[in-house]
Structure formats: structure tokens, C-alpha cells
Amino acid sequence: MNEAPTPGGGPPARRHEKYERLVAACRSIAPVPTAVVHPCDATSLGGAVDAAKEGFITPILVGPAARIRAVAQAEGIDIAPYEIVDAPHSHAAAAQAVGLVREGRAGLLMKGSLHTDELLHAVARRESGLRTERRISHVFIMDVPTYPKPLFITDAAVNIAPTLEDKRDIIQNAIDLARALGIALPKVAILSAVETITPRIPSTVEAGALCKMADRGQITGGLLDGPLALDNAISPEAVKIKGIQSPVAGQADILVVPDLEAGNMLAKNLTFLANADAAGVVLGARVPIVLTSRADSVMTRMASSAVAALYAHRTRIAEPVKG
């Protein structure tokens, strides 16, 4: 089915309509040269080639050349148009892909059939990696059929127990992404269990501090509020019932979770209980990193590539816009 009911009645929401808009926005940009790291299974190799066929990326396939060609032949995937950079194993592939970015040959990284930690270890190396002054963080861009706009959730995949300083960077990364995707002033809800600052719940104290940091210009480009419980971040009806006065409550674009456990459970709840799709990208390095899962749908993979490509272009990492 392609439709889902909306809260409180009204016309049903179409599946993927937010992702379809992202994909459509990529039609006007030139493909981004992308180092695809160790694409040694059908899912990762096919996903990279599909994104290339859509015109989002130009893959550079980095990994054991014989294995890549064997997968392509077994699965009927045409990789003839794409460069292969031979690397003996996944560790070497991650290092060589990072090197392609440092040389200016690639404007994106895309995870293949290796563990996320293995790729991010190569990215985070101090001397040979792609570190910036920002903390590296992950953002889910979720297409939730019952929510009227894309929903950004951070960080649910990289930072396990972020500090206050880490959360500043996590929020700034997410704001920058949302702005690059066309949201002029992203509304950021910093989540906890309650709406009041309660010392026994440390995430409420951090939420208050983060809002004050935004007031002082330490976080820019977004509108922050918190602490907010999840219902009051996304439900106008819950906000009305509780009498909360806030320009963010009930209409958040970005949900900032207290830690990775909470974020991972929230994203998977939306995926498996609300039929949402979760595209993912890692930010804070010199280039965006496309993270996909073997369980991702074709549309989710396309959306992850589209998000990263748009971000790369709109932050002047990639080549000029077509035409």
C-alpha cells in the first residue's frame, strides 16, 4: 500500500512523498564523484549503481577488484562505466576511499559491505582522515506517512552517550543539513521525558543549556526548544491540551534525542510501527557519508544518496549545478 491514515482523520498520506521531492530536487544537479567503500555484495553494489543511473553520483568502486567484478557478474549489474580502485580488503578500501576525498577526486563517501565503525575509524584518523572541528554525527531523514514533512532524528547511530559539547555539534550538523535541503529556519526539539527542567533527569538540564547556547550564538541557523516530550514535539493537539507556548512544539523538523539508545529505538519504532522509511547520512567530516543498511528499501537508498548529494552541492563541496 502507498497510503497511510493521518492523525485525526483527513486524507491519507502517500508513502515516500517527502523522499520523492528530495529525489526530484537532485534532477538539477551534476552527479557527485563518490567513493563507494568495499561494495562486495549485491545490495551495496546495486545501490551505488542505481544511484548512478538516477544521476545522483558517479561511483568510484573501492575494494577487491576481483570480488567486485564477481558480484557484478553474478547479479547482472553493469559496472563497465565505473572506475574500480583495487584494495585488498575492507580496511585498505576505507583508507583508500578517504584518500580519494583528500585528493579531491571524490566529494562523497558511501558505505558498502563493511562495518560502519571500520569506515568511520578511517574517516576520524587525525593525520590521514577527514576530521573537522565538528563532532561527527548521524542524522536519520525519515519519511513518516502520518507526519506532514520530513523528520530529522539525531543522533541515533554514531554517538553513544554524547556530552553537552557533543550535542552542540550534533544539533548544528542537523540544522546545516536541514537548511541545505531547503528548510530556512529548522525547528529543533530537544527531547526528554518531561517539559520541565528536572535535575533528576539530566537530559532536561542539558536541553535548557542547549537552548541558552543558541540564545548566545553558540548554535546558529535554527529555532530551538526543550526539554520537550515526544508528543509535545510533534503533536499540535498534545501541545494545545498542555497549553505549551512554543514556536517549535507540535511542529518540529529536528528531534534531538538524549542518547543513541533512545534515538535508535525511536527511529526503529517509526520504521516498524508507523511504516516510516529512514534515510541516513553522517555529517561533521569534510564530506557527507552515505550510510545504508542491507534492510533498506530501494527508495530509502535513493533518498540517502539524494540527501548526501544535495548537501554536498549546497555546501559547495561538489561540482556546479547542471546548466
Side-chain angles (χ1 to χ4, degrees):
M1 293 183 64
N2 292 321
E3 297 184 342
T6 54
R14 291 177 55 237
R15 288 293 305 275
H16 306 310
E17 61 178 340
K18 297 95 173 177
Y19 282 178
E20 287 167 359
R21 289 197 291 269
L22 286 174
V23 169
C26 270
R27 305 296 183 203
S28 64
I29 64 174
V32 183
T34 300
V36 186
V37 187
H38 203 257
C40 293
D41 63 8
T43 303
S44 58
L45 185 59
V49 172
D50 287 344
K53 289 178 179 177
E54 292 289 339
F56 305 157
I57 68 170
T58 300
I60 305 170
L61 307 174
V62 187
R67 285 184 63 187
I68 294 171
R69 291 192 178 101
V71 170
Q73 183 174 6
E75 300 296 329
I77 301 170
D78 181 12
I79 60 170
Y82 312 119
E83 179 182 359
I84 298 177
V85 176
D86 191 26
H89 45 67
S90 56
H91 285 290
Q96 287 184 232
V98 166
L100 291 174
V101 174
R102 291 175 64 91
E103 294 166 13
R105 292 184 58 198
L108 287 178
L109 287 176
M110 178 179 287
K111 175 181 172 288
S113 55
L114 77 168
H115 198 278
T116 299
D117 287 348
E118 194 173 359
L119 175 57
L120 293 184
H121 179 73
V123 170
R125 287 193 181 115
R126 290 193 177 275
E127 299 302 324
S128 60
L130 302 173
R131 295 169 66 108
T132 68
E133 62 182 11
R134 291 267 186 92
R135 180 82 176 178
I136 291 173
S137 63
H138 180 273
V139 183
F140 275 123
I141 305 91
M142 304 205 68
D143 189 336
V144 185
T146 54
Y147 201 64
K149 53 186 176 178
L151 193 59
F152 299 72
I153 296 176
T154 192
D155 181 340
V158 173
N159 293 283
I160 297 172
T163 65
L164 183 65
E165 288 186 345
D166 294 339
K167 287 183 178 179
R168 189 215 76 86
D169 286 352
I170 287 168
I171 292 170
Q172 192 65 65
N173 286 340
I175 289 172
D176 291 350
L177 175 63
R179 287 170 60 88
L181 298 184
I183 302 172
L185 187 65
K187 297 178 175 65
V188 182
I190 306 169
L191 299 182
S192 186
V194 295
E195 292 73 45
T196 53
I197 293 177
T198 306
R200 289 177 296 172
I201 306 177
S203 59
T204 66
V205 178
E206 287 192 339
L210 289 163
C211 290
K212 183 52 67 176
M213 291 169 80
D215 290 344
R216 296 291 185 263
Q218 292 172 269
I219 301 170
T220 61
L223 193 60
L224 275 64
D225 195 12
L228 288 170
L230 178 61
D231 57 341
N232 296 313
I234 61 175
S235 169
E237 184 178 353
V239 171
K240 184 177 179 180
I241 290 170
K242 289 203 172 180
I244 297 172
Q245 301 296 318
S246 165
V248 173
Q251 52 185 331
D253 298 296
I254 299 170
L255 302 179
V256 181
V257 297
D259 54 34
L260 183 144
E261 291 174 308
N264 193 271
M265 285 186 277
L266 173 58
K268 288 180 178 175
N269 277 336
L270 290 172
T271 299
F272 291 99
L273 295 177
N275 293 320
D277 289 299
V281 63
V282 169
L283 305 172
R286 282 170 54 181
V287 298
I289 304 166
V290 180
L291 287 189
T292 55
S293 164
R294 286 173 294 179
D296 285 346
S297 67
V298 172
M299 178 55 76
T300 298
R301 288 177 176 277
M302 289 298 99
S304 296
S305 300
V307 165
L310 282 169
Y311 183 83
H313 274 278
R314 293 176 180 176
T315 52
R316 298 183 180 180
I317 295 171
E319 296 295 323
V321 173
K322 290 177 184 173

